[in-house]
Amino acid sequence: MKNKSLVSINDFTREEHIHILDLAEEFEKKPTQKILQDYVVATLFFEPSTRTRLSFESAASRLGAKVIGFSEPGSTSVQKGESLRDTIRTVSNYSDIIVMRHPKEGSARFASEVSDVPIINAGDGANQHPTQTLLDMYSIRKTQGTLDNLNIAFVGDLKYGRTVHSLVMALSNYNTTFHLVSPQLLKLPSATKMHIKEKNLTYYQYTDIIDVIPKVDILYMTRIQKERFSDPIEYEKVKNSYILRNSMLETAKPNMRILHPLPRVNEITVDVDDNPKAYYFTQALNGVYVRQALLASILGVK
Ligand code: CP
């Protein structure tokens, strides 16, 4: 995987996914290792982020790399009208790897085509978020002991949720049974469902979250992605579709775990946070180890 860009989760093979998860386990045991002292990591965030940017920067810092970049494109020459092509070509002269988040679908692929250094897609519009997928897989394997033959529910915005799109693609390699819970307006796109169908896997569709809670090993909650709606009235119709409360978890399997890529708005009430089934903050921590594994592998150091 040395020098490979990660734009779609399918840019890496199933074996490469597992290599990243195994390496992340090593970093979890020993997070501080100065193996990237000779490298510069650029983080270019054209869209807001807390976890992805800071966990990448934490991962790079713990490995001894220097970090450059921006989180406010308004303070850069983008503000003067510089194109994405010129920004990427310039930053690829200053760094060894670029982590980029951008609101436009396809922007990360475009960046990988014009960059002299590998690009890691940290989210491109409603399309994909492959590094989130790897940390989700790490979290699932860690809590369930396996990735195979699990029942996994995806709840909320399955249309615009990029973390859902990449994770469904990746889990289609593991004989997953998918439980898809969404309002009619926010169903999983047909192109993503195709990945399930191509592997002859089963998926069920629901509008009520209560129906899936007793059935699943992982309850993957998502935020309704307000920023992707072109019509604010449509957002108002669906914004409170699902609110998970602690009292709703009594029928869950003992080892069921609740994941959420975060940030949350109101779709999980805070009384769930103290339930041992709530795993979303540890999931965010796992992002550091997985991103350490990605940086080290793509830079060819591990
Ligand atoms: N999960 C995730 O992408 O979070 P941020 O938007 O805070 O990076």
Side-chain angles (χ1 to χ4, degrees), residues 49-52 101 129 132 261-262:
S49 168
T50 298
R51 278 145 290 274
T52 310
R101 171 172 289 185
H129 193 345
Q132 177 72 42
L262 303 176

Side-chain angles (χ1 to χ4, degrees), residues 78-103:
V78 171
Q79 185 71 10
K80 301 174 198 162
E82 183 165 66
S83 67
L84 182 61
R85 173 194 295 271
D86 289 358
T87 301
I88 294 297
R89 287 189 69 169
T90 303
V91 177
S92 71
N93 288 332
Y94 302 156
S95 60
D96 300 294
I97 190 165
I98 296 174
V99 179
M100 185 184 89
R101 171 172 289 185
H102 196 283

Side-chain angles (χ1 to χ4, degrees), residues 261-273:
L262 303 176
R264 73 172 149 188
V265 181
N266 64 347
E267 59 278 2
I268 302 177
T269 57
V270 290
D271 66 350
V272 178
D273 295 359

